[in-house]
Amino acid sequence: MSDHNTDSERSEPNDPDVPARRNFIARLGAIVAGGLASLVPIAAGAAALLDPLRRGGGDRAMVRVTRVSALPADGTPRKFTVEADRTDAWSTYADTPVGAVYLRRTEDGVVALNVVCPHAGCFVRLADDRSRFQCPCHNSRFDLNGDIDDPSSPSPRSMDALAVEVRDGDEVWVRFQHFLPGREEKIPV
Ligand code: FES
């Protein structure tokens, strides 16, 4: 057995400062852990505040987008910017662009599609002949209902349809939201 202890091994048992140091480190650890735990709800609250479309436990607000009379009667889609009030910790910004939708009239009412491609998030365009949608990034193709109409399309799902309400006979309101790209199922974000 060696008699050659290190300085710390020799000094610790008789050092009157050791218990105090241990208590200080333990208290410091508790303070740090408590602080981190309190940051979680703060971060969650901040995320909800900063997202104008996700307040009230995940509910998405209906946003007024346009009027039915502004949509072509022949069913051709028309693109609209979606605006909503955005609130952060300090201010509210009225009518801030939060995305865009294609709207079109059908026999069953107004259809809304998010313009974001479900493959990787590029903006889908209406083809020049207005017969379909296509994505400029990897050439996913969708029919006017938003369904994939080319089996070689890399998009894992159809374009994301959004809930629509027509109020007062002419106002088009959309439940605007985004979904995770690259997934077969629609997962709201
Ligand atoms: S992002 Fe649209 S096809 Fe890839």
Side-chain angles (χ1 to χ4, degrees):
M1 185 181 217
S2 171
D3 291 327
H4 299 289
N5 293 335
T6 64
D7 286 343
S8 62
E9 285 171 329
R10 274 199 303 272
S11 63
E12 189 168 298
N14 299 317
D15 186 343
D17 292 336
V18 167
R21 279 204 303 268
R22 285 180 178 155
N23 283 341
F24 171 74
I25 291 170
R27 282 200 301 274
L28 184 62
I31 290 169
V32 170
L36 288 175
S38 67
L39 285 178
V40 173
I42 290 173
L49 273 177
L50 291 170
D51 182 349
L53 305 169
R54 192 170 55 186
R55 297 194 195 111
D59 276 352
R60 299 283 171 161
M62 298 296 287
V63 180
R64 182 181 173 280
V65 178
T66 186
R67 295 184 175 279
V68 175
S69 51
L71 304 179
D74 63 0
T76 300
R78 187 174 165 198
K79 186 177 175 181
F80 292 87
T81 299
V82 177
E83 297 181 339
D85 293 345
R86 180 182 289 277
T87 301
D88 63 20
W90 297 275
S91 307
T92 296
Y93 308 93
D95 300 331
T96 303
V98 293
V101 291
Y102 286 107
L103 297 179
R104 77 182 192 98
R105 292 198 215 191
T106 72
E107 289 181 355
D108 299 324
V110 177
V111 171
L113 300 171
N114 195 319
V115 302
V116 175
C117 181
H119 178 228
C122 292
F123 297 141
V124 172
R125 295 177 183 161
L126 185 61
D128 289 342
D129 65 3
R130 303 183 173 200
S131 65
R132 66 162 67 91
F133 297 104
Q134 56 192 58
C135 181
C137 290
H138 313 102
N139 208 29
S140 284
R141 291 166 178 245
F142 309 91
D143 65 23
L144 293 184
N145 293 319
D147 295 326
I148 294 172
D149 76 347
D150 180 344
S152 66
S153 296
S155 179
R157 63 175 188 266
S158 302
M159 290 175 69
D160 294 320
L162 304 170
V164 177
E165 283 180 18
V166 175
R167 299 181 182 174
D168 298 330
D170 194 39
E171 292 185 352
V172 179
W173 292 70
V174 174
R175 188 177 302 282
F176 186 74
Q177 59 188 129
H178 292 293
F179 301 87
L180 277 182
R183 307 285 288 268
E184 277 187 38
E185 62 275 39
K186 286 172 69 177
I187 301 174
V189 294

